[in-house]
Amino acid sequence: MSKPYAMNIEERRRCIFYDVKHSNNSARIRLWLRLHGGLKEHVETVMLGHNDLDRGEQLAKVNPLKKVPAFTTDTGLNLFESFVILSYLEDRFGDGNDDTSISKATGSTPLITLDNAEDRAFVQLLVRIHDIYISSPNCTQPHFSHTQGCMYLDPTPTKYTPERRTMPDPKVRAAKLKEIHERLGWLEESIKLPYMAGERITHADITWFPTCIFMEVLLPYVFGWAPIFHEAKYFPRLGRWFENCCRNEHFCSVRKDIYDVLVQQKQDGRFDGVCEVVENNSDLKW
C-alpha cells in the first residue's frame, strides 16, 4: 500500500478542524490558520456549540475527552491537544513544510518558527508555562479543573457548568487566581517585546493571546482587578505586548470572536455565581 502522503492532491479530502468560537485553546488554531491565509483549500472548520463539548457524539469520535480543539487530518488521523495540532500544521503547511505536493496558501506566509535553538527554546518555555500552569487541568476526572477555570467555572451546577466541572471550594479558586497572578508576573519580567519572543510573531503569542482575552474581560469584572492589559502600573510590558498584537488584523479578529461571546455571557448572568463567591469570601485574597 502506498503511503498516504503519496496520494495525488486531487484525491485527498480536506483536514477538519473542530472549533468553538470562545475557546481559547481552539482560538490558537484559528489564529494560526488566519495568519497563514486560512488554508481553506486544505482545512475545513466545523464550528461547534457549547453543548457539543459535553454531549456531542460527533466530537467524541475525534476526541474521546470531548474537548476542543480537535482535528482530523486528510488521511483520517484524529488529533487533539492544541500543541499537537499546531505542531502538525506547522510541519505540514508552515515554514517547516515537508510536503512538497502542497503549495502554500499564500505567498506571504509568516515565519513563526525562530532561527536559532535558544530562541526556539524560549518560545517553547513560554508555551509550556501556559499549557501546564494555566490552561490544562492535566486530569479528566470530576472536579479537576485548569487554573483559568477560576475565572468562570461555577461553584454549583448550571447550564454552563456541569456538576463534574464545578469549583465549589473558594480557597481552591483563590489559589488558582494566585497562580494566574504569579504566572503573569513571570511573563511581565520575561517577554522581550514587541512580541513575546522579540521582533516576530511566534507560537508564544498565538498561545497566550486568546487566553489573555479571558483575563482582559473577567479578571476586572469578577475579581475587581485593574483593567489588565490596559493599565501601566502592574503589567505595563504585557500591556504594550497586548496592544501591539491587537494592531494585527488576525489577532484583532480573534479577540472580537472571544470578547463578544464573553460580554454577551456577562449580560446573561454567566459569571454571577463566581462573583457571589468573591463577594461572600472577602477574607480571601482576590
Side-chain angles (χ1 to χ4, degrees):
M1 181 184 295
S2 61
K3 294 182 179 180
Y5 283 167
M7 290 189 297
N8 185 284
I9 185 64
E10 287 78 16
E11 297 174 353
R12 292 179 179 171
R13 59 185 180 184
R14 288 188 293 173
C15 302
I16 303 175
F17 163 43
Y18 297 90
D19 192 3
V20 168
K21 189 174 183 180
H22 62 286
S23 163
N24 57 317
N25 286 317
S26 285
R28 294 161 67 170
I29 314 301
R30 194 185 323 143
L31 180 51
W32 190 97
L33 289 170
R34 289 178 184 178
L35 286 166
H36 288 75
L39 292 173
K40 291 183 179 180
E41 292 182 3
H42 305 296
V43 181
E44 174 189 357
T45 295
V46 175
M47 190 65 70
L48 302 175
H50 188 85
N51 290 339
D52 294 312
L53 297 180
D54 286 304
R55 298 188 292 274
E57 293 307 315
Q58 180 185 19
L59 180 60
K61 291 177 181 178
V62 182
N63 181 358
L65 303 180
K66 296 184 180 180
K67 293 181 179 182
V68 291
F71 194 92
T72 301
T73 71
D74 54 7
T75 63
L77 174 65
N78 291 328
L79 300 174
F80 46 96
E81 297 297 330
S82 53
F83 182 87
V84 175
I85 297 168
L86 279 178
S87 296
Y88 170 82
L89 289 171
E90 195 67 60
D91 287 344
R92 183 78 184 279
F93 302 110
D95 49 285
N97 177 16
D98 60 2
D99 188 350
T100 57
S101 68
I102 295 180
S103 60
K104 297 273 198 332
T106 173
S108 57
T109 301
L111 295 175
I112 290 177
T113 303
L114 297 183
D115 300 324
N116 66 67
E118 286 195 1
D119 289 342
R120 291 194 297 271
F122 179 62
V123 169
Q124 291 300 313
L125 177 61
L126 293 168
V127 170
R128 293 293 283 170
I129 290 294
H130 173 275
D131 288 355
I132 294 175
Y133 299 104
I134 299 295
S135 71
S136 175
N138 294 315
C139 183
T140 62
Q141 301 309 303
H143 303 297
F144 284 84
S145 62
H146 38 26
T147 297
Q148 69 181 41
C150 72
M151 296 185 286
Y152 53 82
L153 291 178
D154 288 292
T156 56
T158 67
K159 66 177 182 179
Y160 296 103
T161 308
E163 196 278 334
R164 64 180 180 81
R165 297 193 69 212
T166 56
M167 191 180 294
D169 189 340
K171 292 182 179 179
V172 169
R173 191 181 301 273
K176 290 180 181 292
L177 184 63
K178 181 180 179 181
E179 183 74 15
I180 289 178
H181 186 270
E182 290 182 353
R183 299 291 71 77
L184 288 174
W186 179 83
L187 271 185
E188 173 72 18
E189 295 178 357
S190 301
I191 61 174
K192 297 181 179 181
L193 295 177
Y195 297 104
M196 282 193 166
E199 296 296 324
R200 279 160 47 184
I201 293 170
T202 68
H203 284 277
D205 306 290
I206 293 170
T207 295
W208 274 96
F209 184 78
T211 303
C212 286
I213 300 163
F214 275 75
M215 297 178 185
E216 176 193 18
V217 175
L218 297 181
L219 291 178
Y221 180 73
V222 174
F223 302 109
W225 285 29
I228 189 167
F229 311 123
H230 303 285
E231 52 81 31
K233 181 178 179 181
Y234 300 104
F235 300 106
R237 300 181 76 246
L238 282 172
R240 294 202 298 274
W241 163 77
F242 191 83
E243 181 181 8
N244 189 59
C245 287
C246 287
R247 294 192 183 103
N248 180 290
E249 62 175 319
H250 303 300
F251 280 81
C252 190
S253 68
V254 166
R255 178 179 179 269
K256 179 174 173 55
D257 290 342
I258 298 173
Y259 189 92
D260 287 355
V261 171
L262 294 178
V263 169
Q264 183 61 56
Q265 288 182 346
K266 279 172 55 178
Q267 296 172 357
D268 294 342
R270 163 73 175 89
F271 311 110
D272 290 355
V274 186
C275 290
E276 289 179 11
V277 170
V278 174
E279 183 179 353
N280 294 335
N281 292 272
S282 58
D283 57 314
L284 296 176
K285 187 173 178 60
W286 303 105

